[in-house]
Amino acid sequence: MSAYRWKTFFEDEDRPDKPRRFGVTEMRGPHYTLSQNFLEDIFESMGHFVDGLKFAGGSHSLMPKAYIKEVTSMAHKHNVYVSTGDWAEHLLHKGPSVFKEYIEECKELGFDTIELNVGSLGVPEETLLRLIRLIKSGGLKAKPQFAVKFNKSDIPITGDRAFGAYVVPVPRTSETIEDVDLLIRRAERCLEAGADMIMIDADDVCKYADRVRADIIAKVIGRLGLEKTMFEASNANTSEWFIEQYGPKVNLFVDHSQVMDLECLRGRNLGHNHRSVLGSSYFLF
């Protein structure tokens, strides 16, 4: 029997109970005040709605290892996976052996997922795929994060050329170009290499509800699938747009303060009046 009188997690509701393959809610950890009591309060009150916890902004790199282990252990008790956030790019300049040590350390600390910010990594595609395979061989999940804009020097040169012909390197520039087809092609190759989920950065796609790029989102979901794609929802209005357009089974990354609002939106999409149960103060727009 459900612990909530307004939520059962039956299959005919918005989505099943954890662990979930879709309708995933990943929560940004409050890195400015990541106290165990604060997190425990969140997990005790809303743990059924939280699938993942992300250490945003490389915040785990500044914390004692013993403390990180306590946080990851607490999350696992509530069936919540833990992600590193995008931090690996700061280690790659030290060499591949350091990245392997990072994977082992993440596993030791209790992390389940290593996120790779593709834009910040600035590595060739084959190197990215190799990093994903290293993460998977280390027993962890890999989640590449893509932006829709790429550095101009990263855009493949088109035109006829002989197989194996030398390609003159293009100097790095500060110019960026929007290329959703390149994003999708690289994301597909990451999934083929074993990536578990593709994160889509909110910048230039869905950072503001009144400027959501519905065309890009539809193309990404159409090619990669709803189950393998996660979108960053920067605010409650953006979350509402996603739920209205794609239903409660869309995977979203939100701030810890938006978890309950998002759960209400997932249920409201099926006609459940969660507002009457929680009160209007929980439903902020």
Side-chain angles (χ1 to χ4, degrees):
M1 184 176 179
S2 172
Y4 304 91
R5 66 186 178 91
W6 58 283
K7 193 78 175 178
T8 64
F9 290 112
F10 290 152
E11 288 287 348
D12 59 349
E13 270 210 344
D14 46 23
R15 65 208 198 286
D17 204 349
K18 297 190 297 184
R20 289 183 273 263
R21 294 180 294 106
F22 50 80
V24 172
T25 296
E26 185 172 292
M27 179 186 82
R28 178 189 292 107
H31 54 275
Y32 51 84
T33 173
L34 191 60
S35 69
Q36 290 188 52
N37 290 338
F38 187 85
L39 277 177
E40 190 169 12
D41 288 343
I42 292 177
F43 292 147
E44 288 290 343
S45 60
M46 299 182 286
H48 281 78
F49 317 137
V50 179
D51 297 89
L53 169 68
K54 177 177 175 178
F55 280 72
S59 54
H60 65 285
S61 65
L62 303 175
M63 299 176 183
K65 293 183 179 180
Y67 178 76
I68 295 176
K69 285 184 177 181
E70 292 174 358
V71 172
T72 56
S73 177
M74 181 196 308
H76 292 156
K77 288 179 181 177
H78 292 272
N79 202 11
V80 173
Y81 69 81
V82 187
S83 172
T84 61
D86 49 341
W87 179 250
E89 60 270 21
H90 297 284
L91 303 171
L92 286 181
H93 69 278
K94 298 180 180 180
S97 61
V98 175
F99 188 76
K100 291 180 180 179
E101 293 172 4
Y102 174 64
I103 294 173
E104 290 303 316
E105 183 177 87
C106 287
K107 191 172 182 179
E108 178 189 346
L109 293 175
F111 286 102
D112 306 284
T113 301
I114 292 180
E115 192 165 303
L116 299 172
N117 189 321
V118 177
S120 299
L121 284 173
V123 297
E125 186 173 319
E126 293 304 321
T127 302
L128 172 63
L129 300 179
R130 187 161 59 249
L131 295 177
I132 290 173
R133 296 187 186 103
L134 282 173
I135 294 171
K136 297 297 293 182
S137 64
L140 298 177
K141 294 183 177 181
K143 184 167 66 171
Q145 176 179 331
F146 284 91
V148 72
K149 288 187 176 180
F150 295 84
N151 190 286
K152 184 178 180 180
S153 61
D154 293 332
I155 307 296
I157 299 175
T158 59
D160 296 331
R161 63 183 180 88
F163 178 78
Y166 175 73
V167 179
V168 179
V170 179
R172 300 289 294 181
T173 69
S174 58
E175 183 179 355
T176 58
I177 297 177
E178 180 181 299
D179 195 333
V180 64
D181 291 317
L182 179 61
L183 182 159
I184 292 172
R185 286 198 301 272
R186 291 189 171 177
E188 286 175 334
R189 292 205 65 192
C190 288
L191 291 173
E192 291 170 359
D196 299 272
M197 183 81 73
I198 301 297
M199 169 73 83
I200 304 299
D201 190 28
D203 289 345
D204 303 306
V205 177
C206 53
K207 191 169 185 177
Y208 304 103
D210 59 345
R211 295 201 293 271
V212 170
R213 292 291 305 274
D215 56 332
I216 292 176
I217 295 170
K219 199 167 187 177
V220 169
I221 291 178
R223 289 277 294 277
L224 303 181
L226 205 61
E227 184 178 318
K228 290 294 185 180
T229 313
M230 177 176 287
F231 294 91
E232 180 182 1
S234 302
N235 53 67
N237 289 330
T238 305
S239 297
E240 182 178 22
W241 184 91
F242 273 106
I243 300 301
E244 287 182 348
Q245 296 297 318
Y246 292 99
K249 295 182 179 180
V250 64
N251 303 316
L252 295 176
F253 169 57
V254 300
D255 188 75
H256 68 279
S257 61
Q258 299 174 23
V259 170
M260 188 63 81
D261 288 347
L262 175 57
E263 198 61 33
C264 290
L265 286 168
R266 293 190 194 275
R268 191 183 71 166
N269 187 258
L270 295 186
H272 300 317
N273 189 6
H274 295 175
R275 183 197 296 266
S276 64
V277 178
L278 294 175
S280 59
S281 61
Y282 276 95
F283 219 71
L284 305 177
F285 298 107

